[in-house]
Amino acid sequence: MSSTNRSLIALIIGILGPFSAFALQNVTADLFGSENYGTVAAFGDFNSDKQTDIFIIRGESELVIFLADLNIPYFKPKVNITKDSLPRDSIITSVVPGDYDGDSQMDVLLTTSTKEGVDTTVFIFWGKNQTLELSGRLQLNKTFIDQPLIMDFNGDMIPDIFGVLKDGSTEVCLLKNRHVEWLKALGPPVKMRIPHSNAFIDLNMDFTAALSHCHRLPTQVDRDPQRRWRDPVSHGVCT
Ligand SMILES: *[C@@H]1O[C@H](CO)[C@@H](O)[C@H](O)[C@H]1NC(C)=O
Ligand SMILES: *[C@@H]1O[C@H](CO)[C@@H](O)[C@H](O)[C@H]1NC(C)=O
Ligand SMILES: *[C@@H]1O[C@H](CO)[C@@H](O)[C@H](O)[C@H]1NC(C)=O
Ligand SMILES: *[C@@H]1O[C@H](CO)[C@@H](O)[C@H](O)[C@H]1NC(C)=O
């Protein structure tokens, strides 16, 4: 994430001209008007109007949802998660919109950490009638050592949260009907790379996600963060 508080959002589109030459046009002002600052974190149709909305992080600890509009500026800041809705010193490290409780309304998952901390805490703000229930946020009662992976683990069409806990075990959090349920994910503890490169894909065509993960082989450079990337990596697939 950008360290500057006022990083400009510059959206530039390329238009194929009549002579097949590229012309670039700066549409930032048309899209955002004077609200054109912050870091674009995610896209999604928050208010179910079939228009993509934009999720923007401001000042590291606030989220503003810009809803698509028919008039200039085409994105207007309408829904905010301010500093006050999060514990003090939280820094938003990721935003993943999705319907986590299965009520057909888009919710917003935030991951946060503190400046010194390495733990990743997960918050979910529930969507309700085109806005967010700011008072009823859910904080997961376990923290991860890296960014979680959002995937449909149990094949119920509702996104679940997969991650590695401090003790090296991998767990999945299911949230259907806002009921928190933790399940053990992979059998033996594995040492995942940080940052992870986990992904999911339906490899055996059974219409459920297969998890593909990279973990580190134990070596003498294990604890040296500078050399993490050069560690030998083995790949695993779990279905
Ligand atoms: C695009 O437009 C915005 C808003 O007018 C401006 O702040 C920004 O500097 C422009 N970017 C470029 C690359 O011209
Ligand atoms: C959200 O923040 C934007 C920009 O700071 C502000 O214009 C808007 O009024 C706020 N909306 C709400 C609902 O607080
Ligand atoms: C949803 O919000 C709109 C205004 O934003 C309000 O008019 C309407 O009554 C709300 N509906 C429910 C079911 O709360
Ligand atoms: C987390 O919350 C769930 C549901 O409330 C509960 O069953 C579980 O025991 C809690 N786990 C921890 C580690 O607090």
Side-chain angles (χ1 to χ4, degrees):
M1 202 169 61
S2 156
S3 58
T4 57
N5 279 352
R6 279 183 71 93
S7 53
L8 281 182
I9 304 158
L11 288 192
I12 296 176
I13 55 170
I15 299 166
L16 203 57
F19 305 105
S20 295
F22 265 108
L24 288 174
Q25 191 186 342
N26 184 352
V27 295
T28 307
D30 286 350
L31 295 190
F32 300 102
S34 59
E35 295 281 345
N36 63 344
Y37 62 97
T39 305
V40 175
F43 297 90
D45 179 9
F46 180 71
N47 56 352
S48 312
D49 64 351
K50 301 199 170 67
Q51 310 282 327
T52 302
D53 307 312
I54 306 184
F55 297 69
I56 286 174
I57 298 172
R58 281 185 178 167
E60 295 195 328
S61 52
E62 296 197 339
L63 181 78
V64 183
I65 306 176
F66 283 65
L67 299 185
D69 197 280
L70 292 176
N71 303 311
I72 285 182
Y74 294 114
F75 292 92
K76 298 195 172 69
K78 288 281 170 66
V79 181
N80 303 349
I81 298 176
T82 60
K83 273 191 184 63
D84 305 333
S85 302
L86 293 169
R88 271 187 59 176
D89 301 327
S90 295
I91 294 173
I92 300 176
T93 50
S94 184
V95 179
V96 193
D99 177 14
Y100 294 92
D101 54 0
D103 66 353
S104 322
Q105 311 215 35
M106 188 178 273
D107 312 310
V108 177
L109 179 149
L110 299 181
T111 65
T112 67
S113 63
T114 54
K115 272 210 171 66
E116 331 56 69
V118 285
D119 284 1
T120 298
T121 309
V122 177
F123 292 94
I124 294 166
F125 290 85
W126 304 109
K128 193 183 174 194
N129 192 20
Q130 315 207 342
T131 183
L132 291 172
E133 279 179 34
L134 287 179
S135 53
R137 64 144 210 238
L138 173 80
Q139 176 176 355
L140 292 196
N141 56 3
K142 294 184 184 180
T143 58
F144 297 114
I145 56 170
D146 189 17
Q147 287 288 316
L149 173 74
I150 309 300
M151 65 179 285
D152 181 7
F153 192 79
N154 55 355
D156 64 355
M157 313 285 269
I158 296 175
D160 309 310
I161 304 156
F162 166 89
V164 185
L165 307 183
K166 221 178 250 151
D167 63 4
S169 63
T170 50
E171 293 203 7
V172 171
C173 183
L174 313 180
L175 288 169
K176 197 172 177 184
N177 301 325
R178 305 191 186 179
H179 173 73
V180 179
E181 187 186 352
W182 291 93
L183 301 178
K184 294 264 176 255
L186 309 176
V190 286
K191 202 159 190 120
M192 297 278 186
R193 279 182 3 155
I194 299 178
H196 74 73
S197 51
N198 302 335
F200 59 89
I201 182 171
D202 181 11
L203 281 176
N204 55 352
M205 305 214 294
D206 62 354
F207 299 105
T208 49
L211 173 69
S212 138
H213 60 92
C214 297
H215 52 92
R216 294 188 287 151
L217 297 175
T219 67
Q220 72 281 13
V221 294
D222 235 356
R223 309 188 117 253
D224 180 355
Q226 297 305 315
R227 298 193 57 184
R228 248 178 207 155
W229 291 103
R230 289 193 290 261
D231 283 357
V233 170
S234 74
H235 300 269
V237 173
C238 309
T239 57

Coordinates of all heavy atoms in Angstrom, one line a residue, residues 35 37 58 62 64 66 77-80 82, ligand 2:
E35 N -12.9 14.4 -5.4 CA -12.6 13.4 -4.4 C -11.5 12.4 -4.9 O -11.5 11.2 -4.5 CB -13.9 12.6 -4.1 CG -15.0 13.4 -3.4 CD -14.7 13.6 -1.9 OE1 -13.9 12.9 -1.4 OE2 -15.4 14.5 -1.3
Y37 N -8.6 11.2 -4.5 CA -7.4 10.8 -3.8 C -7.7 9.5 -3.0 O -8.9 9.3 -2.6 CB -6.9 11.9 -2.9 CG -7.8 12.4 -1.8 CD1 -7.7 11.9 -0.5 CD2 -8.8 13.3 -2.1 CE1 -8.5 12.3 0.5 CE2 -9.7 13.7 -1.1 CZ -9.5 13.2 0.2 OH -10.4 13.6 1.1
R58 N -8.3 5.4 2.3 CA -7.7 6.7 2.5 C -7.0 6.8 3.8 O -7.5 6.2 4.8 CB -8.8 7.8 2.5 CG -9.3 8.1 1.1 CD -10.3 9.2 1.1 NE -10.7 9.6 -0.2 CZ -11.7 10.3 -0.5 NH1 -12.4 10.8 0.5 NH2 -12.0 10.6 -1.7
E62 N -9.0 4.3 6.6 CA -10.4 4.6 6.3 C -10.8 3.9 4.9 O -9.9 3.9 4.0 CB -10.7 6.1 6.2 CG -10.5 6.7 7.6 CD -11.1 8.1 7.6 OE1 -11.4 8.7 6.6 OE2 -11.4 8.5 8.8
V64 N -13.6 4.2 1.8 CA -14.7 4.9 1.2 C -15.2 4.1 0.0 O -14.4 3.8 -0.8 CB -14.3 6.3 0.8 CG1 -15.5 7.1 0.3 CG2 -13.6 7.1 2.0
F66 N -17.1 4.3 -3.3 CA -17.7 5.2 -4.3 C -18.7 4.4 -5.2 O -18.4 3.4 -5.8 CB -16.5 5.6 -5.3 CG -15.7 6.7 -4.7 CD1 -14.9 6.4 -3.6 CD2 -15.6 8.0 -5.2 CE1 -14.0 7.4 -3.0 CE2 -14.8 8.9 -4.7 CZ -14.0 8.7 -3.6
P77 N -18.6 9.3 -3.4 CA -18.4 8.6 -2.1 C -19.7 8.6 -1.3 O -20.2 9.6 -1.0 CB -17.3 9.6 -1.4 CG -17.5 10.9 -2.1 CD -18.0 10.6 -3.5
K78 N -20.1 7.3 -1.0 CA -21.4 7.2 -0.4 C -21.4 6.5 0.9 O -22.2 6.7 1.8 CB -22.4 6.5 -1.4 CG -22.8 7.3 -2.6 CD -23.9 8.3 -2.2 CE -24.2 9.3 -3.3 NZ -24.8 8.7 -4.5
V79 N -20.5 5.5 1.0 CA -20.5 4.7 2.2 C -19.0 4.7 2.8 O -18.1 4.5 2.1 CB -20.9 3.2 1.9 CG1 -20.9 2.4 3.2 CG2 -22.2 3.2 1.2
N80 N -18.9 5.0 4.1 CA -17.6 5.1 4.7 C -17.4 4.2 5.9 O -18.3 4.0 6.7 CB -17.4 6.5 5.2 CG -17.6 7.6 4.2 OD1 -17.7 7.3 3.0 ND2 -17.7 8.8 4.6
T82 N -15.0 4.6 8.8 CA -14.0 5.6 9.3 C -13.1 4.9 10.3 O -13.3 3.8 10.8 CB -14.7 6.8 10.0 OG1 -15.5 6.3 11.1 CG2 -15.6 7.5 9.0
Ligands
LIG2 C1 -17.9 9.8 3.3 O1 -16.7 10.5 3.0 C2 -16.8 11.4 2.0 C3 -15.4 11.9 1.7 O2 -14.7 12.2 2.9 C4 -17.8 12.5 2.3 O3 -17.9 13.3 1.2 C5 -19.1 11.8 2.6 O4 -20.1 12.8 3.0 C6 -19.0 10.8 3.6 N1 -20.3 10.0 3.7 C7 -20.9 9.6 4.8 C8 -22.1 8.9 4.6 O5 -20.3 9.8 5.9

